[in-house]
Amino acid sequence: MCFKGRLDMKEKVLIVGAGPGDPELITLKGKKAIEEADVIVYAGSLVNREILKYNRRNAKIYNSATMDLEEIVEIMVEGVKKGLNVVRLHSGDPSIYGAIKEQIDELRKHGIDVEIIPGVTSLSAAASSLKVELTLPKVSQTVIITRPEGRTPKPKGESIKELSRHGSTMAIFLGVGMIEKVVSDLIEGGYRRDTPVAVVYKASWKDEKIVKGTLEDIVPKVKEANIRRSALIIVGDVLDPKNYDYSK
């Protein structure tokens, strides 16, 4: 089938990271995959529909927000078996909270392999909007990417409270809807109440919002901005360093 030269497998699905939202923040390889796609299954409101306009083949487009795993896999399998170019389009980078492992396993049951084209994460986009470096010498050399426990449980030792004891830069996905609990756990875990924090809503989108504060005052600020979803919480002294070393 098409996409020749990338994998030896003749039957495969391309899993593409669409980037954080700005249509120009997709990789060249990801853009080419969309241009050549005959079938695109994209992740609903998480992916900017402007990206779909790159397609040149009048592809059949499906919104996975209204579908379950079985339906998603069925569409992809059907497309591949017909010899069509199939793209599964995820927001940001599919390796972070992309739920791709289950899709890969189900596709392999049908003898279909995947190729993953990475994307720019919302964390990278948020850091760019904030004009910060997440790993400053003498301040923090570690970034923890996590989420609060919700419907998806977390392994023992990975609670926000447990992770907070490291005092490193922390990026919290999927947590703005329970920000009171997140902030409480961060403080109980060891972050100072005056630790800088930023909440970035829809990083790189046209309607992006940024709310800055400390753990002491960020909750009312976020509520005032009416941010309830699609936002990333970044915590750490790298956001407002009082003292740091130049790189060596």
Side-chain angles (χ1 to χ4, degrees), residues 127-151:
S128 297
S129 293
L130 292 168
K131 298 180 177 64
V132 299
E133 180 181 346
L134 299 174
T135 52
L136 277 177
K138 199 177 177 179
V139 180
S140 176
Q141 291 288 285
T142 301
V143 180
I144 295 176
I145 297 174
T146 190
R147 60 166 294 174
E149 187 168 82
R151 290 185 298 175

Side-chain angles (χ1 to χ4, degrees), residues 8-72:
D8 292 333
M9 296 291 294
K10 289 185 177 180
E11 295 188 331
K12 67 179 177 180
V13 168
L14 286 185
I15 296 177
V16 178
D22 183 339
E24 293 185 345
L25 286 179
I26 191 169
T27 65
L28 292 174
K29 193 170 186 179
K31 180 175 179 285
K32 183 177 180 182
I34 294 170
E35 288 172 346
E36 298 175 354
D38 301 303
V39 177
I40 300 174
V41 184
Y42 79 105
S45 62
L46 300 175
V47 171
N48 190 340
R49 284 190 60 88
E50 291 295 311
I51 293 171
L52 300 174
K53 293 180 180 180
Y54 291 136
N55 182 254
R56 296 175 179 173
R57 297 195 176 191
N58 195 27
K60 197 158 188 180
I61 297 174
Y62 299 87
N63 180 355
S64 65
T66 60
M67 300 157 60
D68 59 24
L69 176 61
E70 184 178 353
E71 291 171 318
I72 293 169

Side-chain angles (χ1 to χ4, degrees), residues 61-231:
I61 297 174
Y62 299 87
N63 180 355
S64 65
T66 60
M67 300 157 60
D68 59 24
L69 176 61
E70 184 178 353
E71 291 171 318
I72 293 169
V73 171
E74 182 180 356
I75 287 169
M76 292 192 290
V77 170
E78 181 182 350
V80 171
K81 295 301 183 184
K82 289 179 178 178
L84 303 176
N85 297 331
V86 179
V87 167
R88 175 67 169 118
L89 190 60
H90 281 266
S91 61
D93 182 87
S95 67
I96 301 177
Y97 304 121
I100 60 171
K101 172 62 173 169
E102 60 200 44
Q103 297 175 70
I104 293 170
D105 288 347
E106 290 300 313
L107 287 168
R108 283 180 174 164
K109 291 177 183 177
H110 296 272
I112 297 171
D113 201 1
V114 303
E115 178 181 344
I116 300 174
I117 299 176
V120 177
T121 69
S122 57
L123 174 56
S124 298
S128 297
S129 293
L130 292 168
K131 298 180 177 64
V132 299
E133 180 181 346
L134 299 174
T135 52
L136 277 177
K138 199 177 177 179
V139 180
S140 176
Q141 291 288 285
T142 301
V143 180
I144 295 176
I145 297 174
T146 190
R147 60 166 294 174
E149 187 168 82
R151 290 185 298 175
T152 302
K154 297 181 73 175
K156 186 178 180 180
E158 287 194 11
S159 70
I160 287 179
K161 193 181 299 185
E162 286 284 331
L163 296 174
S164 296
R165 65 187 178 87
H166 297 286
S168 59
T169 307
M170 191 181 295
I172 303 168
F173 286 71
L174 306 168
V176 75
M178 54 183 84
I179 192 165
E180 297 98 330
K181 171 69 169 143
V182 169
V183 167
S184 175
D185 285 348
L186 288 167
I187 293 171
E188 286 185 38
Y191 283 97
R192 307 180 319 275
R193 290 181 177 274
D194 66 348
T195 302
V197 57
V199 173
V200 183
Y201 168 77
K202 296 183 76 171
S204 84
W205 291 64
K206 291 179 179 179
D207 55 345
E208 174 187 275
K209 291 182 187 178
I210 296 175
V211 177
K212 297 180 181 178
T214 65
L215 290 177
E216 186 77 63
D217 62 14
I218 194 65
V219 171
K221 288 183 175 182
V222 168
K223 289 187 177 298
E224 184 179 354
N226 197 31
I227 299 174
R228 301 176 182 176
R229 59 180 178 79
S230 303

